[in-house]
Amino acid sequence: MRFTTSTMDLMPLQASQPFDPSKYRYTGPNVQPRQLPNTRSQAPITTGTSVIGLQFDGGVMIAADKLGSYGSLARYQNIGRLMRVNDHVILGCTGDYADFQFLRDIIDQKMIDEECLDDGIVTRAPALHCWLTRVLYNRRSRFDPLWTTFVVGGLDDDGKPFLGFVDKLGTAYTAPQIVSGMGGHLATPLLREKMDGQPPLSEAAARELLIRCMTVCYYRDCRAFSKFQIATLKAGSIKIEDDLEVKGDWEVAHFSKEHA
Amino acid sequence: MMETVQQVTPSYAAPLPEWLSAEHDMGTTLVAAEFPGGVVIGADSRTSTGTYVANRVSNKITRITDSVYCCRSGSAADTQALADIVSYRMAMHEIEMGRPAAVRTVANTFREMCYQYRDDLMAGILCAGYDRTHGGQIYSLPIGGMMVRQKVASGGSGSTYIYGYLDSNYKPDFTAEQCVDFIRKGVSLAIHRDGSSGGVCRVAIITANGVERRTFTGDQLFVPQ
């Protein structure tokens, strides 16, 4: 069983042949497949909490905080859970961070392969959402799930905003607002209240609503953290804002009675 | 020989969120420290039901008598009931004795109940106050029903993250303000790392002159860079 690859193995014996980039393709982690049937699904170790996504007029916006929790310990306080897949897709991940990194590397390689094919076809959000669904469902069916929930955002082939949800069971759906994790219970009603039956939000209104939802999640989720990121995708541009922070209003603390 | 393979079919689709059925638990951070002249006690303000924050501004510093306060961790229901009972008994005690109850008396009353019902209760209590005989005292009453006097005491899930800080920064000759700062920083550091602690930092300074309560919110908490 080989545990390491040396670049020497990839270089030609004489450097007289043309450089072949396919020899440097990332083929995935050097992990041997399980020999015995796996009858226990794993437990998540380092986890991320809610990811909140909403559509606005001309694009989508996704936010997630920067914490990796190790059980109840707020262990890694500067990790990004949002990802720019390519110029047309962004995604955020809840759940086990190792599983997210595993899929992130594979998605990155997929995008490189696509660049190399150079046939004008580009992966958009609905396609990536579909691919993720199949991958997660397949792992679930083998009782070896990737313990993650994804929020995928972008514009579809007609240029309309697209937001999709995929969880560790392979459950997938699309909606104008998608929230994974505990925020699903906290933020979804707030988003729907402002968006149902209304004309599409402007980008500024969407950002304000998103920050309000992150604040509520920070108040009410034990595994939330004050530092967060927002990724915004519009036709032709992706912007990821880092170093945002929920301050919160704690004036109500001064009104407490004896017991609480 | 027939081998039976036991297939464990895991079910990891949770039908309901776990916090709908979880007990109200004050996973929490409590700290108390003595200084010449009194004690300072501090706590965070988060009450959680599983991973849901049921109350983000709770008051975990509870009055037992005018000069003895306690910090509560563990089951919110258990500790509230205990505090009410001990407070009632000490009020009767003060009427009968004609003078304020000693801190050790209050702590011992707690201990009697915590020990007798140790299998039924989930209560970790820091009992602290001031009396004329022995000055400022802190008694730690962890789960199980023991009682021990300490100069610096901590409790709750968040306390595990600040043992190093408390051990290396405490000085027995703090002024009241230095002691408040010591407590405030300790609670802040624990809130920073413990998911079950959060919100604001409440402190109470108990001296011969009575009790002063303060609340530190937002930027007044210490946040490491």
Side-chain angles (χ1 to χ4, degrees):
Chain A
M1 197 158 43
R2 280 178 49 182
F3 290 100
T4 56
T5 43
S6 154
T7 47
M8 289 288 284
D9 300 330
L10 299 172
M11 280 173 59
L13 284 169
Q14 293 152 9
S16 58
Q17 285 148 31
F19 175 77
D20 182 5
S22 69
K23 290 213 167 68
Y24 294 87
R25 192 173 177 285
Y26 174 67
T27 48
N30 216 353
V31 174
Q32 301 299 320
R34 290 175 185 278
Q35 303 304 324
L36 298 167
N38 182 29
T39 54
R40 281 190 75 230
S41 42
Q42 5 125 339
I45 306 292
T46 303
T47 55
T49 187
S50 326
V51 173
I52 308 177
L54 52 67
Q55 295 176 4
F56 61 90
D57 190 17
V60 296
M61 215 179 266
I62 303 183
D65 68 23
K66 302 193 70 183
L67 179 64
S69 296
Y70 193 71
S72 70
L73 168 61
R75 192 165 183 184
Y76 303 105
Q77 298 179 347
N78 199 25
I79 57 167
R81 298 191 290 115
L82 300 181
M83 178 189 174
R84 175 195 163 280
V85 173
N86 58 25
D87 287 335
H88 310 275
V89 189
I90 49 176
L91 59 77
C93 180
T94 293
D96 190 80
Y97 198 69
D99 286 345
F100 167 56
Q101 287 183 321
F102 169 73
L103 268 179
R104 183 166 63 183
D105 291 343
I106 291 182
I107 291 173
D108 280 342
Q109 182 60 54
K110 248 172 96 66
M111 294 303 124
I112 292 173
D113 291 346
E114 193 173 275
E115 279 276 326
C116 293
L117 276 179
D118 197 20
D119 57 3
I121 296 175
V122 119
T123 300
R124 294 192 187 274
L128 188 72
H129 178 244
C130 183
W131 177 81
L132 264 179
T133 308
R134 301 271 54 83
V135 167
L136 291 178
Y137 182 74
N138 178 252
R139 290 291 298 254
R140 160 269 197 199
S141 301
R142 287 193 271 133
F143 288 102
D144 185 16
L146 291 164
W147 207 286
T148 49
T149 307
F150 284 94
V151 176
V152 181
L155 302 174
D156 66 15
D157 293 318
D158 300 323
K160 293 223 255 332
F162 171 95
L163 262 187
F165 169 102
V166 198
D167 75 0
K168 62 177 176 297
L169 303 176
T171 313
Y173 61 91
T174 63
Q177 56 280 113
I178 299 270
V179 187
S180 62
M182 194 164 158
H185 298 98
L186 300 168
T188 307
L190 298 174
L191 293 169
R192 287 186 183 158
E193 179 195 32
K194 284 276 182 291
M195 291 175 67
D196 276 2
Q198 316 273 1
L201 294 172
S202 68
E203 188 185 339
R207 191 169 179 282
E208 202 187 302
L209 182 55
L210 203 53
I211 292 177
R212 177 167 172 240
C213 289
M214 291 300 292
T215 307
V216 170
C217 286
Y218 174 61
Y219 287 156
R220 293 298 176 177
D221 181 2
C222 284
R223 306 285 177 259
F225 191 62
S226 56
K227 297 208 173 60
F228 67 101
Q229 296 174 306
I230 295 181
T232 310
L233 186 149
K234 296 187 286 215
S237 79
I238 294 184
K239 177 175 65 158
I240 300 192
E241 292 169 79
D242 210 339
D243 284 337
L244 299 164
E245 194 173 352
V246 173
K247 284 296 179 190
D249 181 355
W250 296 94
E251 283 308 299
V252 69
H254 297 291
F255 303 149
S256 88
K257 303 174 74 113
E258 179 59 35
H259 257 201
Chain B
M1 193 168 75
M2 270 271 274
E3 264 187 354
T4 48
V5 176
Q6 192 174 18
Q7 287 287 334
V8 175
T9 316
S11 160
Y12 42 88
L16 283 173
E18 43 91 39
W19 45 260
L20 277 181
S21 51
E23 201 188 299
H24 253 60
D25 174 19
M26 285 185 292
T28 204
T29 306
L30 312 172
V31 199
E34 256 184 60
F35 67 95
V39 295
V40 179
I41 52 175
D44 75 310
S45 69
R46 174 173 287 186
T47 305
S48 49
T49 329
T51 44
Y52 175 68
V53 179
N55 188 349
R56 66 181 173 107
V57 287
S58 21
N59 182 4
K60 302 181 188 181
I61 303 179
T62 305
R63 177 195 170 281
I64 306 294
T65 71
D66 281 342
S67 52
V68 180
Y69 277 62
C70 76
C71 289
R72 306 176 288 114
S73 71
S75 158
D78 285 351
T79 55
Q80 283 176 15
L82 277 172
D84 287 345
I85 293 169
V86 173
S87 181
Y88 160 77
R89 285 180 59 179
M90 290 298 101
M92 295 302 285
H93 179 78
E94 286 187 355
I95 291 170
E96 287 164 2
M97 303 297 284
R99 63 167 189 267
V103 186
R104 195 185 171 96
T105 308
V106 179
N108 200 51
T109 313
F110 264 117
R111 182 259 294 269
E112 275 174 0
M113 271 187 290
C114 289
Y115 182 68
Q116 191 176 14
Y117 297 106
R118 62 182 286 167
D119 297 324
D120 303 307
L121 291 173
M122 172 114 104
I125 293 176
L126 290 185
C127 184
Y130 180 91
D131 61 45
R132 289 238 309 259
T133 329
H134 297 288
Q137 300 144 73
I138 301 164
Y139 292 92
S140 200
L141 298 126
I143 294 172
M146 70 176 256
M147 177 179 91
V148 64
R149 182 176 173 189
Q150 290 181 296
K151 287 227 198 65
V152 181
S154 62
S157 56
S159 68
T160 55
Y161 303 111
I162 52 172
Y163 277 116
Y165 168 79
L166 296 176
D167 287 342
S168 57
N169 287 78
Y170 175 70
K171 304 224 173 4
D173 57 355
F174 276 151
T175 64
E177 284 308 314
Q178 287 173 325
C179 205
V180 169
D181 222 46
F182 170 70
I183 298 281
R184 174 184 61 95
K185 250 176 141 176
V187 174
S188 303
L189 287 169
I191 286 175
H192 190 62
R193 286 293 183 177
D194 182 24
S196 310
S197 303
V200 305
C201 171
R202 301 199 192 274
V203 303
I205 312 157
I206 311 173
T207 58
N209 302 328
V211 177
E212 186 199 333
R213 303 206 52 164
R214 294 191 207 166
T215 302
F216 299 104
T217 66
D219 287 334
Q220 295 169 316
L221 290 168
F222 170 78
V223 179
Q225 289 313 304

